[in-house]
Amino acid sequence: MSTKMTRRAFIGGSAALLALSLAACGGDGSGAPADDAAADQAAETTTITVFAAASMEESLTKAGELFTEANPQYELSFNFDSSGTLKTQIEEGADCDVFISAGQLQMNQLDAADTTGDNVDGLDLIDSESRFDILENKVALAVPEGNPKGIESFDQLAELLAAGDVFMAMGNADVPVGQYTQAILEHYGLDEEALAAAGTITYGSNVKEVTSQVAEATVDCGVIYQTDAYSDGLEVVEVATPEMCGQVVYPAAATKNAPNPEGAAALLEFLRGSEASACFEEVGFTPLAEA
């Protein structure tokens, strides 16, 4: 039996001692009641686990701080990585309350309500009714400080890649930003495998790795999101059009097996609001679901 439970049992055995105890709680200056209150509050705090695309790290962390300030009964635990990695972790049974992907594909692959044909394994891991498109981003061609190679556009990049005169970083094939880059290469009729074999392309396991390669000038350029370029202070020479790679939309949803479904619903509702939207807009996202 705990010390607290023992004290309560003892007090419960004597009315006189109960009265004395209540009087002491009124202000003996010991700090014990405050400690009990703090312990009770901590015990009542529940964790919301959020799996989110790496490109959201700065803005979602800031929005999360605003959420927990307004909702002290919750604390947030973030897992930021490539959407493909996060999708696999959810599929393998990782605890996750909210999933925000940088592309529809990874969300579709987990959603039994998917009508695109992406859910080839028939998975039912997303609460389809909670799903909505939260943000739009842009795919950007970014260069290191000073732009040593003098790259000015995707058109020019395509010519340099074909000639083997540039070293470009892009995301892996299972990373949304890599998939958008593949679409851009296809738009220009470029063979990714041939370019990689020729040594003109290097890869990153998520958009942050690609961004770091550009920031450190280990490559001549990289295809990343405009939000990551903004966060790292990189120069963007051009933004890809929807004709090049499609629209870059981030879906959000609670998971079917969310350990904290009430918390997931509360967070998703907050992320639709103006406070969270302001955090996303600061780094270049376009909010799509402001309440």
Side-chain angles (χ1 to χ4, degrees), residues 138-140 154 180 183-184 187-188 238-248:
K138 301 292 184 183
V139 174
F154 278 108
Y180 294 126
I184 292 171
H187 174 79
Y188 285 103
E238 189 176 14
V239 172
T241 64
E243 290 72 27
M244 291 180 184
C245 62
Q247 190 178 15
V248 184

Side-chain angles (χ1 to χ4, degrees), residues 156-167:
Q156 181 191 14
L157 173 64
E159 294 175 0
L160 292 170
L161 285 170
D165 291 336
V166 71
F167 189 37

